[in-house]
Structures are given as C-alpha cells and as structure tokens.
Amino acid sequence: MTPNKITADNARRYRDSLKLKIFGTINFPYSIVPDSVITRVDVIEHYPSFPYTPIMYPAGNLDSIDKFVIKLSDNLVDFPENVKAYLFHPHNSNGKLFIYHSGHCAGVATSEDIVANGKGEEPGLVIPALVAKGYTVLAVPMINYHSQIPIGYNCGYNGHDDLFADGNYPYPMALFFKPLIASLNKLGRQNYSDIYMTGLSGGGWTTSIYPAIDSSISMSFPVAGSWPIPVRYVYYPTVGDGEQSYPSIFNDLLDYHEIYSLACLAPARKMLQINNRYDACCFAGAEPHIFYVDSVAKALNASGGEFRFYLDETDTGHQVTPRALEIMFTYINNQTGYLQQKPADTITNGTLYSYNIKNNFRVNSIADNSVWKYSLLKSPAWLNLDTLTGIISGVAGEGSIFAWQDSVSFKVEDSTGRFVVYNYNLVHKRVEPIVFTKFNDSSAAYLLPHYSASMESINPGSGSFFYFNNPGISVLSMSIENNSVIRLQLSRSLTITDSIGYNGYGSAFPVRYRNGARLDNFGLKPIQLNAVKRTYATAGMIRFNTETGKFEYFNGHDWIDMH
C-alpha cells in the first residue's frame, strides 16, 4: 500500500483534481437533469411485474414511484437505451434521501434488490426497508454500453470494457455518474436534511467514489464494491471492469484508500464500508481489510471525518444482507462500539499472551443483553479465540534470534449491530538482547535489542552506558544497521571471556526505539564471537551468478565457475 496522501488541508484540492480526471473540469455538472420525469408509475421497466403493491400505503409506507429517464448520448449504437432511475416517495417521510445504486447484474436497480438482496422474494430487501423507515429512495442502475438493458436479472460487465477500449468519449468515467448526478440535480440536494448512499458490487464501487466528488453525501455505505489496487491484485487478481482500474485516476492520481478518505473530508463526513467474508463473487476474505482500513482512519485523525469497516459473515451470496442493513441503521443512529482497553501489542517470546475482548467491549448507549459474537479474522497459528468467553490467548514461540510481527484482526458485535473490527501488529520481544561479532572481526560488537526493525538512529551519548567485565574495553562509536542492529565499535578486540551490559535506561541519553521507548537495562552477558560466518554457503552448494550468467559451486572456501 502507498502512503495515504489525503489530509483535511489538501482534500478540496484533490477533489478538484479528481473531478478534472472524471469530467475534464473542476466545475461540478449541476446543469444536467433527466430528459423526462414520469410520475406515479405502476410499471417497472425491464422487470416482468410490479413488485411494490404490498408496501403501498396504507398497507405499507410507499406513497408513489416516479421514473427518471436520462439519455447518456445521442449515439444510439453506443447507448441504444436510456437509463431509468426510480424515485420512491414514502407516505410518512423523515426528510432524508437514501440512494441505492445497483451493480452490473441488473437491468434496473430494483431488479438487483429483489433477486440478489431479496433472494428472489418481492418486493426486495433494501428499498422496502428504507421506505419503511421514511427515507425517500433514489434507485439508480449501472450504465449499459453497446447493449440493450436486459429484462429481470442479467449478470455481465454491461459493455464497460468496450467503452474504455473504443475511445469514443474523452471522459468515459463521467458517464457512470451522469444518471445519479442528473437525478440529484433535479431533486435538489438542499431539499433533504441528509443524503445517504449505499450500493452493491458496481453500486458499491460507485458508492466508494461518488461521495469523494459530491460532498452533499453525508454518509455512505459501499457493499462489496472495491479494494485498493495492491490488495485487489493479491486477493482478487482479475482485471474486472474498466472503470475499476482506470489508469488516469488509479495509477496517476489516487488509489481507493485515498478516495475513501476523500469521501469523508471537506466537509467531514462518514463512510462505513461493508464486505462479505464468504462472498461467492468478489471482495471476500477475512484479512484484506488489514492493509488499508487503518490507513484511511489515520488520515482522518482530528478532522471530524470517520471511516469504519464491517465484515459481514452471515451469508455466502454477493448481496446486501439483512445483517448489513442492521449495521447501517445502527450506525446512522450513532450507536457504536469501542474497546475500553486496547490489547497489548507486544509479546515476549515463550510467554503466554491473553486479551479478554468481552471485558473490554463497550457501547455508547444502553448495553445489549444478547450473546455477543466474536470472530478472529487474522492471527498467527499459535493464537486462538474462545468464541464463548471472548478471550484471545496463546503461547508465542521461543525463538531467540528472530523477533517478528504477527498481524491480528478480530471482530466483536452485539445483536443490534454495534461492533468493533480491530487490527494490530503483535510485535515479538526477545527474552534478552543478543550480542555477537562477525567472522574474524572482534573489534566491533553487534547488539540485537529486544525488538527487530525498531531503530532508526542512536545518540552518541548512549555509548558511555555500555559497560564490560573488562574495564579496558570501551565504546568508541555507534551506528544502526538494517534498522535492527546496534553496531558498537570498540577500543580493542574482544576475547572469549568478555561480556557486556547496559545501564542507560534512566539516563539523559538512553538508547531509544523509533517509537520513543527506551532499551531496557541488562546485566553482563557473554558475547558470541564469530557468530556471523564469512559465508552461509557450505561445501557442495550450487548457485547461479546473475552478474556473470554462469553456474558456480562452492568448494568450502571459494565459488568455482562450473563452465
């Protein structure tokens, strides 16, 4: 992952840059509107029936449905049909607009909500649930290129790859957002107290991007729609649709984790990304989130913006699940979970590590009395979770030379949808530092401190706090190698009886790790002479020398050309 470039100070400038890549101008296209509006429809185009009769008022809260027709281009070969978006009016309104954007597997957004989210049961899942809560719902589909809009539910890439390959449009990305923008321009963003947005798959992709260019979206919930490019390359190595890897944006300007950040800034807003752990299609898995979620959250520090991630484990489909809806509604109501005490992020090799999730999970409103659910999403093999008690525990290996990091991620949630997904690196600590010399050079000692990859520089004044059993030895100079090893240049060569200690922890010049922590004092300990051999090769080994382009074998002393 690349470092996150977005900050509260530069967010507006990056938004302008993103609009320039999408529209060819930094000016937002507020002038475009639907080509026609048909009010109070009782037919859903490209769907074989009218599925919303059961939720029409007074049986439900749906008052009426309007249809927006948006022409993408006058070129009927490229776009043989116009886009149809549907506006659902609640009888009892909460004054808020909720956008539902569908993916590639639908003729219209309503089809996807019924067949994918509702598993074929009319009237669907997301749209009826939003209407029942009083939201006005704008349902917008993905665009079709070179193809008729299918009837019902039809999966495919909708011709998007050809749209980019043909090069008929200088700003092809703008076409993906035109139906949504035209609809919002017609409705008037100021007519709603809040505008929220969610979407599945391609709609999740749109929900990931659109709030970054339109700051009127105050809260967004992309579902199974995107990962940063390096994460996708490893965990879902398919090219996908042309818009998902458009080089002008994702190679030249911003990656997805930066766009998520931008969707939460200038002004401060919120995004809750939801992916399905067992998704049959894409963006599945228990660990990809650990590579970017905290990068986004860190970029938003002290900005008022918020990014959170939820991993849905309730189904295997490519869908918005009922649990995902619960999570969204709970989040909108500002009911959240947090950890009172964070787990320790270090472990001494050979000792027991334990963290009680249950004792530390808290919510910001009345506690839920149901059984909480715990999931260990990513961990080393030696660490285990008791799903009944919520305790993570295990004994770390006793490795003495290597001190490493283990990635850990766990989730805890209550029945109402308040949750925590927590990621951290568990850093192993050596039982004690190790001091050694290299082959045939006993005038320099090398010290492996308690942690690897933990140091960047050392204060020259620290040298006086290293002491030896032989008062004739002193430290002349020090340096850091490989961010892991302290090199001590000594006043004379060491012998097999020499030992070293350190007592600078409380001094004015302590040896410090990069995070500011101090090196622990340690008493006199033997120095391992000649611990690093002149070569790691043993007699009989064969290698290919990339410089000479020839194979060589090792005779125990030298590498011999085999040609």
Side-chain angles (χ1 to χ4, degrees):
M1 293 293 301
T2 57
N4 197 321
K5 299 190 289 290
I6 302 299
T7 66
D9 293 333
N10 66 23
R12 285 185 172 85
R13 295 194 296 276
Y14 270 109
R15 178 170 296 120
D16 284 345
S17 298
L18 184 58
K19 287 187 292 187
L20 191 63
K21 295 286 188 181
I22 293 173
F23 304 116
T25 173
I26 64 173
N27 298 315
F28 195 84
Y30 289 111
S31 60
I32 62 173
V33 293
D35 294 88
S36 62
V37 177
I38 300 93
T39 60
R40 307 189 73 86
V41 301
D42 57 6
V43 172
I44 302 295
E45 282 197 54
H46 315 294
Y47 190 77
S49 65
F50 185 76
Y52 297 108
T53 300
I55 63 170
M56 297 295 294
Y57 184 81
N61 194 38
L62 179 59
D63 218 20
S64 62
I65 305 174
D66 297 340
K67 179 172 69 174
F68 293 172
V69 180
I70 302 100
K71 181 190 295 185
L72 292 175
S73 169
D74 291 327
N75 188 327
L76 296 181
V77 174
D78 290 345
F79 297 101
E81 290 195 55
N82 296 325
V83 176
K84 289 90 176 179
Y86 288 87
L87 185 70
F88 295 75
H89 295 281
H91 184 77
N92 296 306
S93 174
N94 62 17
K96 303 176 190 294
L97 177 69
F98 214 125
I99 301 160
Y100 175 73
H101 204 292
S102 69
H104 306 92
C105 295
V108 289
T110 52
S111 301
E112 179 185 76
D113 189 37
I114 294 169
V115 181
N117 303 328
K119 294 191 172 182
E121 294 291 329
E122 296 181 354
L125 177 71
V126 177
I127 294 171
L130 296 176
V131 171
K133 288 188 173 291
Y135 292 101
T136 301
V137 180
L138 176 64
V140 186
M142 290 292 272
I143 63 174
N144 279 61
Y145 182 73
H146 280 178
S147 60
Q148 300 284 336
I149 298 174
I151 294 175
Y153 188 69
N154 188 290
C155 279
Y157 288 147
N158 306 40
H160 297 171
D161 291 350
D162 291 340
L163 170 60
F164 289 92
D166 291 349
N168 296 338
Y169 301 88
Y171 297 99
M173 290 286 279
L175 297 169
F176 289 88
F177 303 108
K178 183 177 179 180
L180 175 55
I181 292 171
S183 301
L184 289 175
N185 290 346
K186 175 66 177 179
L187 294 172
R189 294 164 179 80
Q190 70 282 357
N191 291 327
Y192 302 94
S193 59
D194 282 297
I195 302 178
Y196 304 149
M197 183 174 182
T198 189
L200 170 67
S201 193
W205 173 84
T206 309
T207 306
S208 300
I209 307 293
Y210 188 74
I213 60 175
D214 185 348
S215 59
S216 71
I217 310 299
S218 56
M219 210 174 296
S220 50
F221 304 89
V223 180
S226 66
W227 278 330
I229 299 297
V231 178
R232 177 169 182 150
Y233 178 77
V234 173
Y235 288 94
Y236 185 50
T238 62
V239 175
D241 312 277
E243 70 271 16
Q244 295 176 5
S245 57
Y246 185 51
S248 183
I249 292 176
F250 302 112
N251 287 356
D252 302 340
L253 183 62
L254 298 171
D255 203 346
Y256 282 93
H257 63 301
E258 295 161 326
I259 292 176
Y260 305 154
S261 304
L262 193 56
C264 301
L265 284 175
R269 292 163 294 142
K270 296 181 178 182
M271 175 180 282
L272 169 59
Q273 185 189 55
I274 300 173
N275 282 346
N276 301 314
R277 178 174 183 174
Y278 305 110
D279 200 310
C281 165
C282 34
F283 307 112
E287 62 185 53
H289 66 280
I290 68 173
F291 296 100
Y292 66 89
V293 167
D294 296 312
S295 168
V296 181
K298 185 177 180 180
L300 302 175
N301 278 347
S303 70
E306 182 173 282
F307 178 85
R308 297 194 72 181
F309 172 82
Y310 177 77
L311 190 65
D312 191 340
E313 300 176 275
T314 59
D315 213 318
T316 60
H318 188 51
Q319 65 191 93
V320 179
T321 69
R323 181 56 171 171
L325 271 180
E326 288 179 331
I327 295 293
M328 292 182 204
F329 292 146
T330 299
Y331 187 73
I332 289 170
N333 291 332
N334 198 33
Q335 296 187 38
T336 58
Y338 63 94
L339 297 178
Q340 186 177 43
Q341 297 286 338
K342 303 295 195 306
D345 59 4
T346 61
I347 172 69
T348 300
N349 287 342
T351 62
L352 174 68
Y353 179 87
S354 181
Y355 177 71
N356 193 315
I357 304 174
K358 181 178 181 179
N359 285 354
N360 287 287
F361 180 55
R362 299 289 185 272
V363 294
N364 65 348
S365 52
I366 298 174
D368 182 83
N369 293 322
S370 65
V371 176
W372 296 344
K373 180 182 177 182
Y374 310 94
S375 298
L376 191 56
L377 305 175
K378 173 77 167 63
S379 73
W382 59 268
L383 199 59
N384 299 288
L385 168 68
D386 187 322
T387 56
L388 296 179
T389 64
I391 296 176
I392 298 175
S393 62
V395 177
E398 293 188 7
S400 58
I401 294 295
F402 299 103
W404 60 89
Q405 292 184 349
D406 280 323
S407 297
V408 181
S409 178
F410 64 79
K411 182 181 70 168
V412 52
E413 57 190 313
D414 67 12
S415 66
T416 69
R418 296 171 291 193
F419 71 93
V420 168
V421 175
Y422 189 73
N423 315 310
Y424 63 107
N425 281 328
L426 184 56
V427 181
H428 290 240
K429 182 179 182 180
R430 296 183 180 92
V431 176
E432 57 184 12
I434 299 167
V435 187
F436 60 90
T437 67
K438 291 183 177 180
F439 178 82
N440 219 17
D441 179 13
S442 57
S443 63
Y446 295 84
L447 177 112
L448 284 171
H450 290 103
Y451 303 104
S452 292
S454 59
M455 294 184 167
E456 294 177 346
S457 61
I458 193 166
N459 191 308
S462 302
S464 60
F465 298 101
F466 289 96
Y467 62 95
F468 300 82
N469 63 327
N470 186 330
I473 306 174
S474 61
V475 175
L476 300 179
S477 62
M478 297 182 299
S479 60
I480 302 295
E481 296 190 2
N482 244 11
N483 288 337
S484 293
V485 185
I486 302 173
R487 184 182 187 277
L488 306 172
Q489 185 62 50
L490 306 178
S491 58
R492 73 162 179 77
S493 296
L494 297 166
T495 67
I496 195 170
T497 60
D498 290 329
S499 57
I500 186 172
Y502 171 75
N503 62 1
Y505 181 88
S507 71
F509 303 105
V511 175
R512 291 186 181 273
Y513 298 102
R514 63 172 53 168
N515 65 359
R518 302 178 180 208
L519 174 68
D520 293 337
N521 291 339
F522 57 87
L524 286 171
K525 59 188 296 69
I527 300 170
Q528 301 177 33
L529 300 183
N530 299 321
V532 178
K533 305 302 181 185
R534 188 170 71 92
T535 176
Y536 287 105
T538 59
M541 282 187 174
I542 297 174
R543 74 178 183 186
F544 180 76
N545 190 321
T546 56
E547 293 183 0
T548 64
K550 296 181 178 181
F551 285 96
E552 302 170 340
Y553 78 93
F554 190 63
N555 65 4
H557 187 269
D558 296 303
W559 288 99
I560 308 300
D561 182 1
M562 296 178 65
H563 295 262

